[in-house]
Structure formats: structure tokens, C-alpha cells
Amino acid sequence: MKKFFLRTKVLFVALILCFFGGLNLQAQTIGEFNAGAFPSDTLSLAGEDLSKVTAITINSLDCSIVPGGTDEMIYFVVPADASTGPIVFVGETTFTAEQPFSVLGRISDAEQMIFFEPMENSPFGGGQVGQVASAYPFDNQAPISFTGTATGNWGWQGGGHPSYSGRMAMSITGGQELVISGINTTGYENIRFAYAIAGANGWDVVDGRLKIAYSANGSDFVNINPSTPWGAGGWYSFIRTSAQLPATENLTIKIYAEGDMTGTVNIDDVQITGYPEGSANIAGFAPAQQVVGKQVVIQGSALTDVTNVEFGKLSTTDFEMSANGKTLTFTLPKGAEHEGDSVKVKNDNDEWEWAGYMTGEANVKVIRSKGGNVSSVDKLKALPAVPTIEALSPTQAPVGGAVYITGMNLHKTTKVMLGDVEITEFMEHTYKIGEEGNMRDTTFLEFYVPEGAAQGMVKVATDNNDDVAESSDQLEIDMEFPAVSITVSAEEGNEQEETEIDVILEATENAIDETSFTIVVSGEGINDDDYDLSADELTIAKGEKMSDTAVLKILNDGDDLEEEEVLIMTLGMRIGSGAVITKDGRQASVTITLPLSIGTEEVLADDLAVIAKDGQVTLFTKDGRVLNNAQVGLYDASGRLKSVHTVNGSEVSLPANAQVGVYFLRVVEANKVSVKRFLMQ
């Protein structure tokens, strides 16, 4: 009898599929057979006279036989839409294996099978498990070894998952264990353990007493928690554990039952999967649960070329990719708290009825334009974002006065109402609360009392939930309440001169109590090295109109030819109750303009030439070198940026639409910045 063995092609996945008893095309017989693989995996069949094999089918679907095989080795591809079922080899006659071929469920396109053990006579990776006629169930062979006191359990049991192999499983009860060692996981990341479990007696209670542990060296074990269900029924359930296993040459898995576990469970279809290092995969989330409307960071590899992110049945394009592809940040979409598995409960008539969904637990899928889609093994939990208003501060304010709304889930606010009047201008402020190591973002709102407003309740609507929050107190309009504004001694600064500007707060009336305001500095392109503020908090004393003075100094940070920058100072949080912030832009905030400065060492760009006429600009290099993804900014004589273009080539046209006058071009290449002055004729 000639024996044949199925092995994986090294380029794809380390999977060995063995015939027990062998295949003999001349004798037209086939013995017991065990196999499992992902769809589209390429497998090998080793033996003799294999040129006589003309077709292979899995569950009636044709497998592609790869050209170039020999009498000793041929390769075939599992159909992409294959499912668990009979595997048939067609030669001089047709042979059907007694054991079905298990088509396993792949989470993502790049996921590969590292180890698969159907607990049959010829397991994956060498060694024999569950010899029914043997009193001791383990026959240890390198490189994979099986040890322990678990016993083989023969007989078909209901398959509750698609790749269920059937016939044979390992039974474990209190005090027993199954140890599988010698599994090589090097070269993989996001390595996961999965298995099928069923109660040996129809329903057996596990209650946390069945444990699964792993070791990278064969001696120091780490429990995977949680890894097992509370109980196991008569049908198999397939469980993927959440722990990520190490990449090692000798991974050991131990499945064991504590001594006080009275139930007996069957373990089948043990598998370890992983992703080749650097391939697209989702390893986890930060945080593991999040409020709807807030951001979640997806962690993994090759998270690039993303078109949208799916959470359950919901899809969103509100995401941001990282430069290295290791993270992808997306916002949980509205309705995410309702995604998840359906839940049924028994009613008063002892009948099962639908009771809604689990609170927002679903897998995340990243859709990519190329390279294959990526799904998460773990589920992300979405929490409802019902908005609530806890307080108004102050509860009295004049028209134009600032009011702060504190509460929960006020992020992504779409509408604020004061009585029947809509607040058309409001701002969200985010800050962190909680203890170190457990910080979280929260949001408060700021608005200014509009003209025509009257005393009333404040209401807030958000884009995260259909509920509308309403304040428990009314906001009273007090026209005699002092309003404060911010004034500056100059509204323009100069880096070269390092201008100093006095900053003072002024109230409309004498403050009825001491009140302080924080000063917040912002502005596009403004960094800490652009300015120095002598105090970030100013105070108006009780009975006074004017605050103390802070000095804003514009610093020369050494920048050459920048876009005109605008430094913005805004009144921030109020401390005390003696005055309120007013609404007008030049009172609640002021802007300091920093004119464009031109470094003389950059003005001469001898290798560039410009032809400018009738509003059109042509830029070319004198030596014919090619500009590669260069950023070209067009500035007028006062230093104001007019347009920005990305150009390629040695001669490029810029749609300037500029009037007659003097202009500058600033060309930024990978390691060079050039400036060219020209006259538009």
C-alpha cells in the first residue's frame, strides 16, 4: 500500500494534513483522513504516482491543481467559497475520504493557520491523539507533542460551528489536563488561540473552573482570562480567546480543569492562528470601550489604504490613518450602542421573546481599497452617549455674557436653546478628568447670551443621541451684571523687533466681587517659541474696573519667510462671580497680527527662473533638474499667502490669477527651501 500525506506549501501556511491508513490509487482505497485549512490556502499532497490524480473536490467544489506537480508531490488550492464537507480525489477511480475536510473561518484576509488539531487519529503537525483502542490516549512524536490525562471521546456530536470536524474529541473533567507543546509561532504577530467546546453529558457546568494557559518556554504558564464559558451544551461552540500569544519556537498550550470541576467537557478543533509580521491585522483597541461620538484607536499593522470603518452593520468615514500604519483612529458612529447580538428573554408565559440588543458590542472591520480587508477578533464595546446638563455657571448673566454648561456627553453638540431662542454661537471645550492612569475626556459648552433672550431653561441636542438634555435651573438675564472685555496696547507685532504688548481686562462696571480670567493663546502656526506671556491669569479686584497687566512679547524664533501668522488671545475660564465674559469678538478675544518676515539669505535663488505675465506664472529650473512633489507658495509684497501648489517637473505653470505687482515664490523641496522674487507684468 502506498501512503500519501498532505502538507502545506511553505510559502503559505504551516499546515500538515495526514491520511491515516493511506491512499492507494491502484488498490482504489482510502483510509481515515483528517484535514483543515482556510479558504484559498495552497496545500501539498505527497506520495507516489500522483500524476494519476486528475481532480480534487471539497464539498463538491473543484480545487485548482497547480501545474508543475510530480509523481511525488502535487499542490492544490482550497476553493475560496469552500465549506466543511467530503474531500474527494479523482484518479483512475474516485476516492472519498471517510473524514470530512474542515474549512476554517478566517477573520481577515491575511490571517494564517499556524496549528490545527481536530483531535482525530492523524493530527496536524505530527503525533497521534485519541487512539480509541488505547488506554493511554497520547502517542508523542516530534515536533508537536501531546501529554496529559485527558481521554479520547468517540462519537458524533452536533456541530455548532461551520468547521466542526466531528467523530473524536478530548474529554476533560476535574483534575485532568491536555498539554500541546512544540508549536512554532515565530514570524507571526497577533497570535490567537481558538477551540470548540461541548458538554459531554448534554449540559455541563464549567463556571470558571476550566482553564487555558500558555507558555513561551514550556514551564512558566500564563492563564488566558476569560477563556472559557460558564457552561457547555450538547452542541459545539467555537471560541476565540482574546489574549495575544507570544512568537516563540516552543509555544505550549495547556487546557486543564480544576479538581472541583464536576462537569465533563469535550474539546475539539484546537487551532492557533496568526498574521505574518507586518501584514494587515487588528490587534486591539484603545480604549476597549468608548462612548458613542468619541474616538477609538485601532491598533495593529498595515492599516493603510482605508476607505471606511465598519462597526457591526454601521459604516463610517470619520477616521484618520497614521503614517506608519500601526494605528487607525475612528469615531464611533451614532447608533453604535444598539449594535450587537440579539437578546431573548422569557416572558410571563414562559415563552422566549426578543428583548433588544446587547449594549453595543460588535467586531470592527477595516475596509481597504487594496491589500484586503481587516476584521477584529475581539469585540469593541460602544456606550450610549445620552446628553445631560448638570449645572449652568453662572445662573445669572447679561446679554453678551458668557455661560458655561457642564454635564455628561455634551461632545458633538449640534444645537443649544435658551428658552425659545436658539444660541447660534457656542463652543465645545474638552478636558480630562479622573485619576492618573484612568483619565478620560469630558466636554463642557460655552455660549454667550444673545440679544432678545429671556429667562428660561437651557436645552442641548447632540449628534450622538436623539435625547435632548435640559437644565434643572433657569438662566436669569441680569442687565446690571458687569461684563468684562480684553484690550491690548497694539494689534500688530514684529518678530525682528520682538514687540511687547500690554494686555488688560476691563469691566463695564465695578466688579461686584474679585474675579479672575485665564488667557488662552492660540492661532494657526503659533507655537510656544513665538511668544512669551508674563501671566496667563488676570484679576479684577472687587470694586475695580481694570485688571492687573500682563505683557505679551513677540519672540524672534528664527523662521524664514513664513506665512503671515495671527496670534489669538481668548478669555478662558472665569474664577469668581464678579463679572462675565462678553460676546463681541474684540472683547472676548483679540488678534495680534505678525507680518510676514523674509530672510535675506533665502531671497536669491539662482537656479530658479520665473516668467510672469497677465496673471499667469511659469516656474522652471535653469539646470533642468526635476522638482519632485515640491510645495510652492505664492506671496504678495506684504507677505500674505495667496495660494499653495504641489508641483512636479522642471517647468510648471501656476494658476496665480495675480494682479500687476511684486510677488515672492517660496519653493520647499525635501532638503531645501528657495525663494524667488518676481514682478507680475
Side-chain angles (χ1 to χ4, degrees), residues 119-314:
M119 301 300 180
E120 299 288 341
N121 291 343
S122 301
F124 170 89
Q128 294 181 346
V129 173
Q131 293 288 339
V132 179
S134 173
Y136 188 73
F138 306 110
D139 181 7
N140 301 323
Q141 296 180 15
I144 308 294
S145 66
F146 303 85
T147 58
T149 53
T151 57
N153 186 1
W154 180 266
W156 286 96
Q157 206 163 358
H161 69 96
S163 59
Y164 171 66
S165 63
R167 299 211 314 165
M168 172 68 69
M170 299 306 298
S171 292
I172 298 179
T173 189
Q176 292 185 329
E177 66 179 22
L178 168 64
V179 180
I180 308 173
S181 57
I183 306 168
N184 190 343
T185 57
T186 57
Y188 291 91
E189 61 179 278
N190 197 5
I191 303 164
R192 305 293 184 117
F193 175 79
Y195 65 101
I197 185 172
N201 304 304
W203 177 262
D204 288 87
V205 175
V206 175
D207 196 19
R209 293 176 174 84
L210 181 67
K211 305 290 186 180
I212 299 175
Y214 68 88
S215 172
N217 56 20
S219 57
D220 300 318
F221 283 89
V222 178
N223 278 330
I224 300 174
N225 293 312
S227 58
T228 58
W230 180 82
W235 288 72
Y236 275 95
S237 298
F238 186 68
I239 297 176
R240 282 182 178 263
T241 59
S242 59
Q244 296 187 45
L245 307 182
T248 176
E249 294 182 352
N250 183 27
L251 179 68
T252 300
I253 297 293
K254 180 168 65 174
I255 306 171
Y256 66 100
E258 295 178 339
D260 57 351
M261 190 179 104
T262 57
T264 302
V265 294
N266 291 335
I267 302 296
D268 200 359
D269 296 335
V270 170
Q271 61 180 265
I272 294 175
T273 61
Y275 295 79
E277 291 179 348
S279 62
N281 72 90
I282 296 175
F285 308 107
Q289 61 179 30
Q290 183 59 289
V291 174
V292 169
K294 292 194 174 183
Q295 291 184 328
V296 176
V297 177
I298 304 175
Q299 302 163 330
S301 292
L303 300 174
T304 56
D305 302 304
V306 179
T307 60
N308 56 295
V309 178
E310 295 179 356
F311 179 82
K313 297 183 293 294
L314 301 177

Side-chain angles (χ1 to χ4, degrees), residues 17 33-37 56-61 63 76 78-79 81-89 95-104 156 161-166:
L17 308 177
F33 172 79
N34 303 293
I56 303 172
T57 63
I58 297 176
N59 208 12
S60 301
L61 294 180
C63 301
F76 67 96
V78 179
D81 52 351
S83 58
T84 296
I87 182 168
V88 178
F89 296 86
F95 300 90
T96 303
E98 295 179 12
Q99 180 66 30
F101 187 97
S102 294
V103 179
L104 307 168
W156 286 96
H161 69 96
S163 59
Y164 171 66
S165 63

Side-chain angles (χ1 to χ4, degrees), residues 536-596:
D536 58 7
E537 182 179 299
L538 294 176
T539 300
I540 302 177
K542 180 179 180 180
E544 299 291 334
K545 289 186 178 181
M546 307 292 289
S547 72
D548 50 342
T549 302
V551 177
L552 175 72
K553 184 177 182 179
I554 306 302
L555 302 179
N556 187 349
D557 59 2
D559 293 342
D560 291 320
L561 190 60
E562 291 187 341
E563 178 183 355
E564 179 181 82
E565 296 173 337
V566 177
L567 183 146
I568 304 172
M569 286 189 295
T570 305
L571 292 181
M573 183 65 75
R574 187 190 64 171
I575 306 168
S577 59
V580 297
I581 301 172
T582 53
K583 175 186 175 183
D584 180 70
R586 287 202 172 274
Q587 295 174 323
S589 64
V590 296
T591 59
I592 308 297
T593 302
L594 308 181
L596 183 84

Side-chain angles (χ1 to χ4, degrees), residues 303-307 319-325 327-329:
L303 300 174
T304 56
D305 302 304
V306 179
T307 60
F319 63 84
E320 183 177 350
M321 292 180 285
S322 63
N324 61 9
T327 60
L328 175 71
T329 303

Side-chain angles (χ1 to χ4, degrees), residues 332-390:
L332 273 174
K334 183 179 180 180
E337 72 272 28
H338 300 305
E339 287 296 298
D341 300 325
S342 61
V343 177
K344 290 186 177 181
V345 297
K346 282 192 174 183
N347 58 24
D348 295 338
N349 298 323
D350 202 32
E351 298 171 335
W352 290 101
E353 63 180 20
W354 182 77
Y357 291 97
M358 295 173 61
T359 304
E361 287 187 298
N363 297 101
V364 173
K365 186 174 184 179
V366 175
I367 308 300
R368 306 167 72 214
S369 60
K370 58 183 178 181
N373 301 329
V374 188
S375 296
S376 67
V377 176
D378 309 312
K379 290 185 176 181
L380 173 66
K381 187 170 185 178
L383 304 176
V386 179
T388 59
I389 296 176
E390 295 177 353

Side-chain angles (χ1 to χ4, degrees), residues 56 85 247 462 557 579 645 648 664:
I56 303 172
T462 72
D557 59 2
H645 311 274
N648 292 276
F664 295 91

